[in-house]
Structures are given as C-alpha cells and as structure tokens.
Amino acid sequence: MVEVLRFEAATVVRGGRPILDRVDWVVADHERWVVLGPNGAGKTTLLQLAGALLHPTGGRVEVLGERLGAVDVFDLRPRIGVASAALAERIPADERVRDVVVTAAWAVTGRWREQYDDTDVARADAVLAMVGADGLAERQFGTLSEGERKRVQIARALMTDPELLLLDEPAAGLDLGAREDLVTRLAAIAADRWAPAQVLVTHHVEEIPSGFTHVLLLRDGRVVAAGPIGEVLTGRTLTAAFGTRLRAGHIRGRYWARAVPPSQELRGRHARPVPAPSTDPGEGLAEPPHVVP
C-alpha cells in the first residue's frame, strides 16, 4: 500500500477557534474516499490541506509522501488535480474550454504566453472526451451551463495525470439530470484501475458515486467515523455527524438517507430497522433497498 495522504493530529485554528481539530486520516493510492458532514464541519479546510493549499496550525500532514512545511508546495501542487468552486471563479469567462483544460499543465488559469505542444493539446482533448465534454472544446467557459462547467473542471483536474484527485462538492448546484450524469461519469473514473486516489467532498449521500470505497464523516472539525464505506456509512454515524436522526441504505452501489419520522422516534433507540418507505430509492425494483441502521 502506498500512502498518498497522512494526517496526524492535523489541526487548523482560525480566530482562536479550531476549524479542524486533531484529525487522523490515511488515504492509500487505490482508495476512493468521500468526505461527508454538515456546513462548518471542516470539509473544505481538510481538502485545502490535502491539496497543499494550506498548512496546518498543528499536527503533521503528508501529501504524496512530502510533509507540508518541509517541501516546496509549488513543486507538489502539479501532482494534485483539484476541482472546486473557488478554482472555477478564477477562470476567465471568455477563456476557450480547451485552454481552460490545457493551462493546468502550467498550473495557471487564463492562457497568456505559455507554449503548449501537440501532446498537451491531445491530452486536453482526451480528458474532455473522458468526461463527455469534447463537444465543448471551442466554447467559452462563461457560456456553459453549470453541469458543463463541472465536467470541464474535472477534465482540467485530470489534465496532468495527477497522483491524487480532489473534488470539492462537484455536484453542487446541479439539477437532477445533470447530477446523475456527473455522478455516473465519476463512477466510471472511480472504476478505472489506473485512475488516481480520489477524495470527494459532499453534503449529500445521494451524490456518492458507486465504486467509492471509504468514507470520512466530520462534525465541528472532528472525525465522527472513518473507514470502509459499507461498514461506516450507517444511520447511526450520519445521525452523529448531522445532528438529526437519520437512517440510511443503498441499492446497487448508490446510497440514500432519510430522517426518521417522529412516530418511529417514539419506538426508542433500539427499535428494529424498518423497511424503506415508498419514497425511498429502488421502489418497484427487483432488488429492494438495503437499510443500514
């Protein structure tokens, strides 16, 4: 096993308040992690550490075998692919989509005087095709729909053939059709044996692509639970992370979560799991949803 991320008591303090509080976490090169938690849980801060965009206030963080604080992050960052809303805001609206992607080779946004060879352009076209955005190559970034922009950002993140892929809420703001299209494409990337280790941040279990192997749940900057997704992503751990009584389940590799109705709250903490209501995923399918209490 090759470690791509190691956090040891990683802490980030802002204004005297811990945003991340003594987080221990290890990601191996073959793993696909989803990070879940409510607003203010520290998810984006965690991803900034993983992307070498932020240094910890305390503890130790190693990214791709290099310790933050003892490595030139400008040498480290090109080895990491990042897709986030913060990055998207820096992309000029009039930038041609192919240039949005190819400029990742120089870790810049907005093409200027850099020189790119045919290999760079071919790679940009290949990753655009990988995410179903090859027909957008000549469009201006500012003319794209939100779903199209998300796909272009992921193509940009893949441009340099990174060793680590970080996705910060890639499905945020998408309608149902665009979300499902994106999640399906992310599942295909996750299933690729040659794809890099992946970390995806989200608020919603429905946005977890099939094929993701592990989950980290955060609340108030602290780890609630972490480990293999089939063992850790349960109603109990989601309840602890989000502060609302929840139950969870999955069908064909996709997860769902629902609040426990008040009538079932009265049955007590040790009530047996109940079947999913008719509004749950999988209604009418031969394979019923699996409920994880």
Side-chain angles (χ1 to χ4, degrees), residues 76-96:
L76 185 59
R77 288 172 186 166
R79 300 167 60 191
I80 306 167
V82 179
S84 69
L87 176 63
E89 290 174 358
R90 302 203 304 269
I91 298 173
D94 61 353
E95 185 86 344
R96 190 175 59 158

Side-chain angles (χ1 to χ4, degrees), residues 271-291:
R272 295 174 59 191
V274 297
S278 61
T279 54
D280 278 334
E283 180 184 16
L285 296 178
E287 178 186 348
H290 179 66
V291 180

Side-chain angles (χ1 to χ4, degrees), residues 131-173:
V131 298
D134 44 324
L136 307 175
E138 297 298 327
R139 293 268 302 275
Q140 291 184 332
F141 187 73
T143 69
L144 304 182
S145 70
E146 191 62 26
E148 290 169 338
R149 291 186 186 198
K150 299 287 189 181
R151 282 185 277 155
V152 170
Q153 291 175 56
I154 294 169
R156 176 185 165 88
L158 292 168
M159 172 67 194
T160 59
D161 195 17
E163 298 167 60
L164 173 62
L165 180 62
L166 306 177
L167 306 171
D168 191 4
E169 299 187 38

Side-chain angles (χ1 to χ4, degrees), residues 12-239:
V12 175
V13 177
R14 291 290 181 268
R17 185 175 73 88
I19 307 301
L20 281 182
D21 191 2
R22 298 185 62 79
V23 170
D24 294 320
W25 183 40
V26 177
V27 176
D29 60 348
H30 63 282
E31 294 172 346
R32 283 86 170 96
W33 282 78
V34 59
V35 180
L36 279 167
N39 290 330
K43 302 185 300 298
T44 296
T45 301
L46 180 100
L47 215 63
Q48 289 174 331
L49 288 175
L53 300 171
L54 183 69
H55 283 75
T57 308
R60 181 187 182 101
V61 174
E62 294 181 4
V63 180
L64 300 176
E66 304 287 353
R67 181 177 179 178
L68 295 187
V71 63
D72 185 342
V73 294
F74 293 101
D75 291 334
L76 185 59
R77 288 172 186 166
R79 300 167 60 191
I80 306 167
V82 179
S84 69
L87 176 63
E89 290 174 358
R90 302 203 304 269
I91 298 173
D94 61 353
E95 185 86 344
R96 190 175 59 158
V97 164
R98 182 179 285 112
D99 289 338
V100 170
V101 176
V102 79
T103 50
W106 284 75
V108 297
T109 54
R111 186 165 181 171
W112 194 44
R113 295 180 178 176
E114 320 88 47
Q115 296 296 316
Y116 302 95
D117 57 29
D118 291 343
T119 302
D120 293 324
V121 175
R123 171 66 181 173
D125 287 342
V127 291
L128 281 168
M130 185 185 302
V131 298
D134 44 324
L136 307 175
E138 297 298 327
R139 293 268 302 275
Q140 291 184 332
F141 187 73
T143 69
L144 304 182
S145 70
E146 191 62 26
E148 290 169 338
R149 291 186 186 198
K150 299 287 189 181
R151 282 185 277 155
V152 170
Q153 291 175 56
I154 294 169
R156 176 185 165 88
L158 292 168
M159 172 67 194
T160 59
D161 195 17
E163 298 167 60
L164 173 62
L165 180 62
L166 306 177
L167 306 171
D168 191 4
E169 299 187 38
L174 300 185
D175 62 32
L176 178 59
R179 183 195 77 182
E180 288 303 296
D181 177 77
L182 181 66
V183 169
T184 299
R185 296 182 189 280
L186 292 176
I189 295 172
D192 185 345
R193 60 176 297 194
W194 302 110
Q198 294 157 49
V199 178
L200 182 152
V201 165
T202 183
H203 294 97
H204 307 291
V205 298
E206 293 81 4
E207 295 176 359
I208 302 173
S210 60
F212 269 63
T213 60
H214 291 71
V215 63
L216 172 69
L217 290 105
L218 294 175
R219 182 178 177 86
D220 296 329
R222 297 179 179 176
V223 175
V224 173
I229 195 167
E231 301 173 13
V232 174
L233 189 57
T234 68
R236 291 186 181 91
T237 57
L238 287 171
T239 295

